[in-house]
Amino acid sequence: MDPVATRVVELTGREAVSDALLGTSHEWELHRVGLADGTLLFVKAAADGRGRLDGLFRAEALGLDWLGRSFGSPVPGVAGWDERTLVLPWVDERPPTPEAAERFGHQLAAMHLAGADSFGADWDGFIGPLPMDNTRTRSWPEFYAEYRVIPYLRRAADRGALTPADVRLVEKVLDVLERLAGEPEPPARIHGDLWNGNVIWQDDGAVVVDPAAHGGHREADLAMLSLFGLAHLDRVRDAYNHAAPLAAGWRGRIPLHQLHPLLVHVCLFGAAYRTTVLEAARAALRAGD
């Protein structure tokens, strides 16, 4: 039996009979493992030679468990995990429909409304392969500046993907963040990396995967859904807004919430995302005029 199937047996206590490598993502491999009873599992495993991934799978497992504690949450359960492996149910994707989009909007609202004790989390997380500081904080502007924008702004500048002038522009946003943030909201139970590639459509809604879960601002998840496009996004947002009305001015704050994931993309992929970061910073500042 190959190493991945062996780890699945150890983690689930069930007999594995097949293992198909689906590809790689960052520093881990993606597998489809079949069990003797016909059940399929999705497995993320550290690539050969990588050993442990410094808590990445632990953070994802804890995040999925925490998000899943809200009624009707659109996240899969965790079948097993260790420091080198994460085992999840296999989810077949369906074509997106307006009806599924409306259901997903309600699912997302319910998950957010489950709330959090503070901004941040009890565990430090990851967004993609990058570490993410989840230090608990009472103020969202403080949390967003200190733990979501500044670390990735510095990292992007250190690798030469942003110029000193670029950094100053983003810092201007942080200087007036209290004014740009809108009315204070309680911490929401958010996915934290909700781009369209992490949404798996179902007939009755969607399943969301690969979270960077933490207590955050609920507008962040919605802003990220619009960053790279999502099928029937207006249906999702309308249904969400009906279930959990958004605060006045939320559309104008979309670029503000997109700064964090865009800076992450600069850190991962370089200056190709530089212009988009600067456009988001300027749009955030204009919204506050």
Side-chain angles (χ1 to χ4, degrees), residues 58-198:
R58 174 183 182 272
E60 186 169 345
L62 291 176
L64 287 168
D65 176 71
W66 182 66
L67 293 174
R69 295 178 202 169
S70 58
F71 178 76
S73 176
V75 300
V78 176
W81 68 274
D82 62 17
E83 292 294 341
R84 299 193 65 228
T85 317
L86 178 69
V87 185
L88 304 174
W90 180 266
V91 180
D92 285 319
E93 188 164 15
R94 300 286 186 258
T97 65
E99 294 76 20
E102 291 178 9
R103 172 60 179 153
F104 177 43
H106 289 128
Q107 289 175 301
L108 191 59
M111 186 177 78
H112 287 172
L113 292 176
D117 294 335
S118 65
F119 298 102
D122 286 337
W123 61 90
D124 282 334
F126 288 81
I127 184 161
L130 298 181
M132 193 171 70
D133 190 337
N134 280 337
T135 296
R136 285 189 174 276
T137 310
R138 302 307 306 177
S139 158
W140 181 79
E142 177 187 355
F143 176 77
Y144 192 60
E146 293 296 324
Y147 304 115
R148 290 298 176 267
V149 175
I150 291 174
Y152 306 99
L153 180 64
R154 289 173 176 163
R155 189 178 187 125
D158 288 346
R159 67 173 294 181
L162 295 179
T163 69
D166 299 338
V167 172
R168 286 194 295 273
L169 176 61
V170 176
E171 289 175 340
K172 286 182 181 179
V173 176
L174 301 183
D175 289 342
V176 293
L177 187 54
E178 292 275 359
R179 176 165 58 84
L180 299 179
E183 291 297 317
E185 289 205 2
R189 190 167 300 215
I190 73 169
H191 180 283
D193 191 12
L194 198 56
W195 69 292
N196 65 335
N198 286 339

Side-chain angles (χ1 to χ4, degrees), residues 6 12 22 35 42 47-48 110 125 144 157 167 201 212-214 246 286:
T6 298
T12 66
L22 304 177
L35 302 182
F42 177 76
D48 288 345
Y144 192 60
V167 172
W201 288 104
H214 61 279
L246 292 160
R286 285 196 303 271

